């Protein structure tokens, strides 16, 4: 039978049709620095005849200028495109390359080997079906080999090829290959890695890349894999095929409503198979129905499988929105709002427990916060260590809390419904990638209890509108003084109030917290929760805290109803606040005795649009308090 390549000359339409129907394998190359990852990819591109003549000419010229292989072509230069990569001879960013053979299409990600680029490696590996772990035959198993192996196990990559490279530099020694294979097999067992394949090769010379190498006849023995690398890549099972055997999941991306007579639910099937007549469950609501039609642009289908984009119509009219997950009824996804998860932190600013982030999982976006870092993982030794925050490239097992229940599967079962990213709410930067393990038991057992005497009833009895006056500003700005005067004036008017002062609260509720960024976030989180309870009790709450971070002030605001949070910015220049320095704190901070002091060595993020802005450098405390009272009357919070 004519092979696909020859069809290009004889029947281009038939070739394109056959090319469309090929399966697609995504894989990564990883390993320690200078183990030959980029060279291997360059060799695969060369051997699969995916290079044009001008590319070959450019590579030959670049090899003379940048290459490390003498007069030979340096295949690594096909992938290492950044100037810094060529100058240093290392991979920094993730480079994606496409190539194909007669049997399959491929997308390969060349990932960095250096520890400081762990986040880049995780990004490249997140969608991979397989991984090629490069090992230099001269050096054997290194720290970075173990690091990347741990990350592969964490990310659920099911097919791992340990490519023992540079066999030409150890004279194609069978004994050396056996030694490395035995050492890695023992480590893989610790990680629980399965489906590990060992292939000896030379990416530079081309041994065992496309065809079995005559230089290693011993590799054909029954105890070895025996196949070339290309043959393995062409035949290994793809994740999409495996996911077709899993329970049906369709995260709803769009409610398709082109006219009054049609209502469908569109998305990409992440796992399983669906047919008209199948009983489904919509989550997290739990409502059930039956599939009526499977609609596509090309017409209705009798069956749809994982990887296909479709629109489902149902026999019943039920409420479904973007972010919901349609599951097969007999094996539905779980639902919860609290989880244990593993998080890989990807931002220069540390992860702080208690700080709110956006969590995107599938087509759903919710608000989330890390409630507890259970332990950080040292990926070099696999040791578990305590941590109060997580720095760039850190990996930790954490408890996470969401503002609503979501449908999910554990990550190892389904990457699409178990993997998520965290997004900074202020600038929309992706700050972390995460993997859900399981729902915390308390999320299933703790529910809101209905009460008959609610906030409205309590407020009516007190004749006021409950709210929070959130005083923020530098230390020494006058927050406590002004808040105290405002409370006195409110009390004189007959209002029911309570003042939460920063120093007073740290004698009791928050006595266990220090002044690191992580502790400051937790300090304000607790105050926000207490304020919410007091508003529910019908009170006017006054809080006097530096509360230096915008994210935490926003978190406190979003816990309350519209109009219940009034931010009062006591705006005092640093020089004025430092001149007052009643407690001598600025003096201690300047001398180095007091660390993490706001305004000196810890940032204060000014409110962008506070409801009340007090220029404390020009106003007396009493004048400032009167302005606050006037604003409360204007807003209808007090009536006296």
């Amino acid at each position: 039978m004519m092979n696909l390549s020859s069809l290009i000359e004889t029947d281009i339409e038939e070739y394109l049709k056959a090319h469309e129907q090929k399966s697609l394998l995504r894989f990564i190359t990883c390993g320690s620095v200078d183990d030959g990852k980029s060279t291997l990819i360059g060799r695969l591109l060369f051997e699969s005849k995916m290079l044009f003549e001008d590319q070959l000419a450019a590579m030959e010229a670049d090899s003379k200028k940048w290459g490390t292989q003498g007069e030979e072509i340096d295949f690594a230069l096909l992938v290492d495109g950044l100037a810094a990569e060529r100058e240093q001879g290392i991979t920094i960013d993730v480079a994606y390359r496409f190539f194909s053979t007669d049997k399959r299409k491929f997308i390969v990600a060349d990932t960095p080997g250096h520890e400081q680029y762990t986040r880049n490696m995780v990004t490249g590996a997140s969608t991979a079906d397989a991984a090629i772990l490069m090992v230099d035959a001269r050096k054997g198993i290194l720290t970075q080999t173990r690091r990347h192996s741990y990350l592969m196990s964490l990310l659920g990559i099911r097919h791992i090829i340990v490519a023992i490279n540079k066999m030409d530099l150890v004279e194609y020694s069978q004994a050396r290959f056996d030694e490395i294979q035995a050492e890695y097999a023992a480590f893989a067992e610790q990680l629980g890695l399965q489906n590990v394949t060992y292939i000896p090769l030379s990416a530079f010379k081309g041994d065992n890349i496309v065809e079995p190498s005559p230089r290693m006849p011993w590799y054909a023995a029954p105890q070895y894999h025996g196949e070339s690398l290309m043959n393995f890549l062409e035949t290994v099972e793809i994740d999409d095929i495996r996911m077709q055997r899993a329970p049906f999941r369709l995260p709803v991306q769009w409610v398709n409503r082109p006219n009054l007579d049609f209502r469908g639910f569109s998305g990409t099937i992440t796992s399983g198979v669906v047919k008209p007549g199948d009983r489904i469950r919509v989550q997290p609501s739990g409502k059930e129905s039956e599939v009526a039609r499977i609609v596509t642009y090309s017409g209705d289908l009798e069956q749809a499988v994982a990887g296909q984009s479709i629109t489902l119509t149902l026999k019943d009219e039920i409420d479904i929105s973007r972010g919901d997950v349609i599951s097969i009824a007999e094996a539905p996804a779980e639902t919860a709002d609290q989880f244990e998860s593993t998080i890989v932190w990807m931002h220069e600013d540390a992860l702080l427990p208690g700080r709110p982030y956006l969590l995107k999982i599938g087509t759903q976006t919710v608000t989330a916060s890390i409630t507890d870092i259970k332990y950080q993982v040292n990926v070099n030794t696999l040791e578990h260590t305590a941590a109060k925050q997580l720095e760039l490239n850190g990996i930790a097992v954490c408890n996470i809390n969401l503002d609503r229940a979501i449908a999910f599967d554990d990550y190892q079962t389904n990457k699409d419904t178990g993997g998520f990213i965290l997004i900074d709410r202020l600038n929309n930067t992706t700050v972390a990638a995460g993997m859900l393990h399981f729902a915390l038991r308390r999320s299933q057992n703790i529910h809101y209890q209905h009460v008959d005497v609610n906030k409205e009833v309590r407020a009516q009895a007190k004749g006021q509108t409950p709210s929070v006056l959130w005083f923020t500003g530098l230390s020494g700005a006058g927050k406590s003084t002004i808040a105290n005067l405002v409370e006195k004036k409110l009390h004189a008017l007959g209002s029911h109030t309570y003042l939460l002062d920063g120093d007073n609260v740290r004698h009791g509720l928050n006595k266990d917290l220090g002044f690191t960024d992580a502790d400051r976030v937790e300090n304000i989180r607790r105050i926000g929760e207490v304020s919410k309870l007091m508003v529910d009790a019908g009170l006017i709450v006054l809080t006097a805290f530096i509360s230096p971070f915008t994210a935490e002030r926003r978190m406190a605001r979003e816990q309350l109803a519209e109009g219940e949070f009034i931010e009062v910015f006591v705006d005092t220049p640093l020089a004025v606040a430092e001149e007052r320095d009643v407690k001598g704190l600025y003096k201690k901070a300047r001398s180095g005795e007091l660390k993490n002091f706001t305004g000196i060595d810890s940032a204060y993020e000014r409110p962008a649009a506070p409801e009340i802005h007090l220029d404390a450098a020009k106003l007396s405390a009493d004048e400032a308090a009167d302005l606050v009272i006037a604003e409360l009357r204007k807003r209808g919070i007090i009536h006296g």
Side-chain angles (χ1 to χ4, degrees):
M1 184 175 176
M2 185 182 298
N3 66 37
L4 292 180
S5 299
S6 61
L7 282 175
I8 297 176
E9 298 178 2
T10 59
D11 191 341
I12 187 64
E13 289 187 4
E14 186 65 26
Y15 169 78
L16 291 174
K17 183 178 178 181
H19 192 73
E20 264 183 22
Q21 295 172 352
K22 291 179 189 176
S23 59
L24 173 65
L25 176 75
R26 294 178 176 87
F27 69 96
I28 65 167
T29 58
C30 55
S32 193
V33 177
D34 202 31
D35 277 352
K37 300 182 293 298
S38 299
T39 301
L40 175 64
I41 295 176
R43 172 64 74 171
L44 288 171
L45 294 173
F46 177 78
E47 296 290 355
S48 59
K49 298 179 173 58
M50 294 297 292
L51 302 177
F52 296 105
E53 289 184 5
D54 59 335
Q55 288 179 296
L56 285 170
M59 184 170 62
E60 289 176 1
D62 286 344
S63 296
K64 293 176 182 178
K65 180 179 180 181
W66 304 99
T68 60
Q69 305 296 342
E71 295 299 315
E72 302 283 347
I73 292 177
D74 189 347
F75 290 101
L77 297 178
L78 280 170
V79 185
D80 289 338
L82 298 176
E85 293 178 321
R86 297 186 171 204
E87 290 169 3
Q88 299 176 47
I90 62 171
T91 298
I92 296 174
D93 200 3
V94 180
Y96 294 92
R97 292 293 183 270
F98 170 86
F99 67 97
S100 69
T101 66
D102 286 351
K103 295 181 180 179
R104 181 173 275 177
K105 295 179 287 189
F106 304 90
I107 294 177
V108 55
D110 183 25
T111 59
H114 283 69
E115 180 176 345
Q116 64 264 40
Y117 303 122
T118 296
R119 59 178 171 175
N120 304 53
M121 188 269 180
V122 169
T123 301
S126 60
T127 58
D129 301 303
I132 300 176
L133 179 64
M134 303 293 289
V135 177
D136 189 325
R138 300 167 301 168
K139 301 174 183 175
I141 308 301
L142 302 175
T143 297
Q144 196 70 340
T145 313
R146 299 174 189 274
R147 165 184 285 270
H148 281 180
S149 297
Y150 170 74
L151 292 172
M152 287 188 294
S153 70
L154 182 69
L155 293 166
I157 298 178
R158 285 175 167 76
H159 300 284
I160 297 172
I161 306 103
V162 179
I164 301 175
N165 191 29
K166 304 187 181 181
M167 289 296 293
D168 55 309
L169 300 181
V170 294
E171 299 179 351
Y172 302 100
S173 168
Q174 179 181 1
R176 181 57 178 155
F177 177 81
D178 289 342
E179 181 184 352
I180 295 173
Q181 178 175 334
E183 183 182 354
Y184 188 84
F187 179 67
E189 187 176 356
Q190 287 182 337
L191 293 178
L193 292 175
Q194 301 175 352
N195 300 322
V196 181
T197 301
Y198 302 86
I199 300 178
L201 54 83
S202 169
F204 177 53
K205 298 289 186 181
D207 294 298
N208 280 339
I209 302 297
V210 176
E211 300 290 342
S213 172
R215 299 185 181 96
M216 290 176 277
W218 49 265
Y219 180 55
Q223 68 265 34
Y224 301 116
H225 182 66
E227 288 184 296
S228 67
L229 177 62
M230 187 70 83
N231 187 70
F232 181 87
L233 293 174
E234 287 179 330
T235 57
V236 68
E237 184 182 50
I238 294 174
D239 238 22
D240 282 351
I241 297 173
R242 179 185 66 84
M243 291 309 295
Q244 290 176 18
R245 301 192 294 269
F248 172 70
R249 302 285 186 267
L250 176 72
V252 177
Q253 184 174 355
W254 178 45
V255 178
N256 190 346
R257 186 81 170 171
N259 55 59
L260 293 175
D261 300 320
F262 185 91
R263 186 166 180 258
F265 308 100
S266 303
T268 301
I269 302 174
T270 64
S271 64
V273 177
V274 67
K275 301 183 293 296
D278 283 350
R279 192 73 186 167
I280 58 91
R281 182 179 298 177
V282 179
Q283 294 170 290
S285 70
K287 296 176 181 176
E288 293 193 6
S289 184
E290 190 175 303
V291 176
R293 297 171 57 196
I294 304 173
V295 182
T296 71
Y297 180 78
S298 303
D300 285 14
L301 301 178
E302 291 301 315
Q303 175 178 285
V305 301
Q308 286 185 282
S309 296
I310 62 168
T311 296
L312 290 183
T313 65
L314 306 179
K315 291 192 174 179
D316 303 293
E317 287 289 335
I318 57 177
D319 184 21
I320 302 177
S321 304
R322 174 182 169 86
D324 289 345
V325 175
I326 301 176
S327 300
I328 196 73
E330 60 263 28
E334 296 183 68
T335 60
D337 60 3
Q338 297 181 61
F339 309 91
E340 182 188 271
S341 64
T342 297
I343 288 178
V344 181
W345 192 249
M346 298 179 168
H347 200 265
E348 287 79 7
D349 296 336
L351 179 155
L352 302 176
R355 172 165 286 181
Y357 300 95
L358 293 178
L359 181 145
K360 182 170 174 46
I361 179 168
T363 57
Q364 173 86 302
T365 301
V366 297
T367 299
S369 61
I370 307 302
T371 57
D372 178 38
I373 298 178
K374 300 177 76 170
Y375 57 84
Q376 186 170 349
V377 179
N378 183 328
V379 293
N380 297 326
T381 63
L382 304 186
E383 178 187 8
H384 296 175
T385 58
K388 279 197 169 185
Q389 59 187 45
L390 202 57
E391 304 291 345
L392 175 64
N393 291 322
I395 299 174
V397 172
C398 307
N399 288 344
I400 190 166
N401 181 66
L402 311 184
D403 66 343
R404 74 197 78 163
I406 61 168
F408 78 101
D409 295 287
D410 76 90
Y411 179 82
Q412 295 296 334
T413 300
N414 191 322
K415 292 182 181 181
D416 293 287
T417 52
F420 63 88
I421 59 172
L422 292 180
I423 302 168
D424 187 290
R425 288 151 46 99
L426 298 180
N427 54 32
N428 281 331
T429 301
T430 298
V431 294
M435 293 128 269
L436 297 179
H437 297 169
F438 52 81
L440 298 180
R441 184 177 298 176
R442 61 175 177 262
S443 71
Q444 307 294 332
N445 298 335
I446 299 177
H447 309 279
Y448 278 103
Q449 176 65 42
H450 172 74
V451 293
D452 292 316
V453 181
N454 57 24
K455 176 172 62 178
E456 289 70 26
V457 173
R458 299 183 189 106
Q460 188 177 10
K462 293 177 174 61
Q464 61 188 31
T465 302
S467 56
V468 171
L469 302 179
W470 192 279
F471 290 81
T472 177
L474 293 170
S475 177
K479 301 180 299 299
S480 295
T481 302
I482 297 170
N484 188 52
L485 284 171
V486 170
E487 186 179 33
K488 286 173 67 176
K489 292 175 184 289
L490 288 172
H491 182 71
L493 293 170
S495 297
H496 298 259
T497 64
Y498 195 89
L499 172 60
L500 292 167
D501 182 78
D503 282 355
N504 293 346
V505 168
R506 282 187 177 272
H507 285 293
L509 176 65
N510 292 347
K511 68 187 298 182
D512 59 319
L513 299 177
F515 292 90
T516 64
D517 284 353
D519 283 345
R520 288 176 185 273
V521 169
E522 175 60 14
N523 184 52
I524 298 306
R525 187 196 70 80
R526 293 182 190 178
I527 296 307
E529 292 287 351
V530 171
S531 299
K532 179 182 176 183
L533 292 174
M534 290 187 167
V535 167
D536 195 55
L539 299 176
I540 296 174
V541 186
L542 302 90
T543 73
F545 294 83
I546 295 173
S547 50
F549 303 126
T550 303
E552 280 61 63
R553 296 196 298 267
R554 177 185 286 188
M555 175 179 62
R557 178 188 294 272
E558 290 178 350
Q559 293 187 76
L560 302 170
E562 183 71 27
E564 289 183 345
F565 185 94
I566 300 168
E567 188 172 44
V568 183
F569 178 30
V570 183
D571 189 0
T572 305
L574 176 62
V576 175
E578 192 167 355
E579 185 180 331
R580 295 172 180 172
D581 203 12
V582 178
K583 303 173 186 175
L585 300 179
Y586 282 99
K587 184 177 180 181
K588 290 181 179 179
R590 292 290 187 190
S591 67
E593 297 177 52
L594 192 59
K595 300 294 184 184
N596 303 310
F597 190 74
T598 303
I600 304 299
D601 57 354
S602 184
Y604 177 78
E605 298 172 0
R606 293 170 58 91
E611 281 76 9
I612 302 175
H613 188 162
L614 302 176
D615 188 346
K618 297 178 180 178
L619 297 169
S620 68
D622 202 59
E623 289 171 332
D626 285 339
L627 283 175
V628 173
I629 294 295
E631 182 65 24
L632 295 182
R633 282 199 176 97
K634 180 180 175 182
R635 291 173 175 269
I637 292 172
I638 56 174
H639 310 288

